[in-house]
Amino acid sequence: MSDTAERGLLHNLVFAGASGASAALLLVLFVVAGRVLGQEEFGKFSFALALGTIFETLMDFGLHQVAIREVARDKSRATSVLQHTLGIKLVWTSGGLLALLLAATLLREEWDVRMSCYLIGGALVARSFMFTIRGVLQGLERFGWDSIVVLADRGLLLACGLAVLVTGGGLLALSTAFVVARAGAFVLGAWLTNTQLGGFGVRYDRDIWRELQRSAVPFGVFLIVLNLYSYVDSVMLGVMRGDAETGLYGAAYKVYEGVGYLPSILASVLTPRLSRLFVTDRAGHRRLVVGALVASLALALVVAACGYWLAEPAMSLLFGAGFLPAAAPFRVLCLGLVFVFAIWTLHATAISANKERLLVRAALVGLCVNVMVNAYLIPRHGAHGAAIATVVGEFVSLVVLVIGLV
């Protein structure tokens, strides 16, 4: 890789790092929510957020990843890809939101949990459109503008969320704050994108829609399975063990998920660069993949060791003494970070090499293993069992990816 390319990659990594670091704003919000709402109400919120995130993939269905790859390979298509993808999203967000409303109504009888799910669904519609904006900006490698969109989104979430919590708002007020914040962030993202590309809007061309959607289908299936894998444990806990247990696991998982943003920073920078190298320089593609894997694994070992050692003081300090039992599942989750860091790099590699089917296969195998282990362990061990199931699933997914890419 040339010096110029290396400087460009580092430049992008700095901005992507700023975007990833903004996940700390979400962690602050979840910490305050846990302290203010308590285990049971926080468990309800965790359930609503987990269920909504599962159905969010139906609203995007792989179009985010396709936008990155298509724009990275032909930057002249950026405006066209943006406008046509936004048009397709109008269809998918309607279907995804309807599916979420039906699922929430069937799974939970409590009116406040149902309403929280409905509100979170509305917020996720706005986030889905923001994903398209971010995909185009990342494909253009304008990570500075992308970081502005991300920081605005999470900053507004923190501000609105804290405002309702400190004034005595409960579960539904916090869920409403998500809608307001995400709507505001989308408006800002649309304005910024219009200034960069000179054309924010919706277009329809049957052939282009068909091309984009055909490319997105494997990604969409992969993301549906991946999100099921990531959040099905919280949903199963809510149904099988109640809201208090879900709240404990939610606290552990939110910290674990926040740490998981670290490898996503590297993957977000790698995906457009690897996508271009795959068609222009296969040797450079291989070198970048190997170097990224070594760096991600080294970082994972350090982070996992620190998290395991600091589990009890971290849970107690962040969420309060009542959440101290969350340290046990968090320690288990820390063991899975080694697998997660490598998986993010392998995901970027598979996307760049047009191996979407491998992503689907790995996620599907991991999901099946995760659900089976959860079904066995959650009734017996609750949150601790859900954490074990997550780690086992991560390991199995990693093995499938390695075998498919070697």
Side-chain angles (χ1 to χ4, degrees):
M1 188 183 301
S2 67
D3 290 341
T4 301
E6 286 184 354
R7 285 195 297 271
L9 191 62
L10 290 173
H11 182 266
N12 292 340
L13 189 60
V14 170
F15 283 117
S19 299
S22 68
L25 301 179
L26 294 182
L27 181 58
V28 171
L29 176 58
F30 293 133
V31 166
V32 176
R35 284 179 169 271
V36 173
L37 298 178
Q39 287 184 24
E40 187 168 346
E41 292 298 297
F42 185 67
K44 293 178 180 179
F45 179 71
S46 297
F47 177 89
L49 200 58
L51 187 66
T53 305
I54 288 173
F55 283 93
E56 183 184 19
T57 52
L58 288 177
M59 302 177 189
D60 183 78
F61 211 70
L63 291 166
H64 173 70
Q65 285 73 19
V66 168
I68 294 174
R69 189 172 67 186
E70 293 301 313
V71 174
R73 291 177 175 176
D74 185 358
K75 290 180 170 53
S76 66
R77 296 187 63 198
T79 301
S80 175
V81 169
L82 172 68
Q83 294 177 347
H84 285 100
T85 301
L86 289 173
I88 300 173
K89 280 286 185 73
L90 291 175
V91 178
W92 280 112
T93 53
S94 300
L97 184 58
L98 178 61
L100 171 59
L101 300 183
L102 290 173
T105 303
L106 290 172
L107 288 174
R108 298 299 294 260
E109 296 180 353
E110 305 92 331
W111 74 273
D112 57 342
V113 179
R114 287 181 176 180
M115 285 301 302
S116 180
C117 291
Y118 303 159
L119 290 167
I120 292 295
L124 291 175
V125 168
R127 193 168 92 129
S128 181
F129 282 103
M130 278 194 295
F131 271 147
T132 296
I133 293 172
R134 294 189 59 204
V136 172
L137 292 174
Q138 289 175 10
L140 291 169
E141 298 198 43
R142 296 182 184 178
F143 283 89
W145 289 102
D146 177 60
S147 66
I148 291 175
V149 174
V150 177
L151 288 168
D153 174 47
R154 291 169 179 168
L156 284 171
L157 276 178
L158 178 62
C160 294
L162 289 181
V164 299
L165 288 171
V166 299
T167 55
L171 172 65
L172 296 184
L174 179 59
S175 302
T176 302
F178 267 63
V179 179
V180 174
R182 284 267 151 82
F186 169 67
V187 171
L188 175 61
W191 176 77
L192 287 174
T193 305
N194 188 61
T195 64
Q196 287 293 293
L197 301 181
F200 186 90
V202 174
R203 291 171 60 186
Y204 172 75
D205 183 293
R206 186 179 62 181
D207 293 335
I208 295 178
W209 276 38
R210 184 180 301 165
E211 171 200 351
L212 290 172
Q213 192 59 76
R214 185 170 54 247
S215 299
V217 166
F219 289 119
V221 175
F222 160 66
L223 290 170
I224 288 173
V225 176
L226 181 64
N227 267 16
L228 275 170
Y229 166 78
S230 298
Y231 297 103
V232 71
D233 43 8
S234 293
V235 175
M236 292 176 72
L237 272 169
V239 174
M240 300 167 72
R241 293 286 292 229
D243 293 317
E245 191 87 16
T246 307
L248 289 175
Y249 184 72
Y253 196 84
K254 284 305 175 186
V255 178
Y256 167 78
E257 191 176 39
V259 175
Y261 276 105
L262 291 173
S264 74
I265 295 169
L266 180 60
S268 67
V269 174
L270 285 173
T271 300
R273 185 61 57 92
L274 287 173
S275 296
R276 186 169 65 252
L277 287 174
F278 185 76
V279 296
T280 61
D281 182 4
R282 292 291 179 90
H285 180 273
R286 285 192 296 272
R287 287 194 300 271
L288 185 55
V289 169
V290 172
L293 277 174
V294 171
S296 63
L297 285 172
L299 180 60
L301 290 172
V302 174
V303 173
C306 291
Y308 191 91
W309 180 48
L310 296 172
E312 287 191 1
M315 291 298 109
S316 180
L317 177 65
L318 291 174
F319 294 94
F323 283 85
L324 188 59
F330 180 66
R331 279 201 174 104
V332 175
L333 291 171
C334 284
L335 300 177
L337 287 174
V338 177
F339 309 138
V340 172
F341 276 56
I343 285 172
W344 272 102
T345 299
L346 294 178
H347 281 175
T349 304
I351 291 171
S352 70
N354 301 325
K355 291 192 174 184
E356 296 88 355
R357 294 182 185 275
L358 173 61
L359 293 177
V360 175
R361 186 162 64 250
L364 188 58
V365 172
L367 172 63
C368 291
V369 171
N370 192 12
V371 170
M372 288 188 294
V373 178
N374 268 316
Y376 178 77
L377 291 180
I378 284 178
R380 294 165 176 79
H381 303 287
H384 194 81
I388 293 173
T390 295
V391 175
V392 172
E394 301 282 17
F395 174 73
V396 172
S397 296
L398 176 64
V399 171
V400 175
L401 285 169
V402 170
I403 292 174
L405 288 171
V406 171

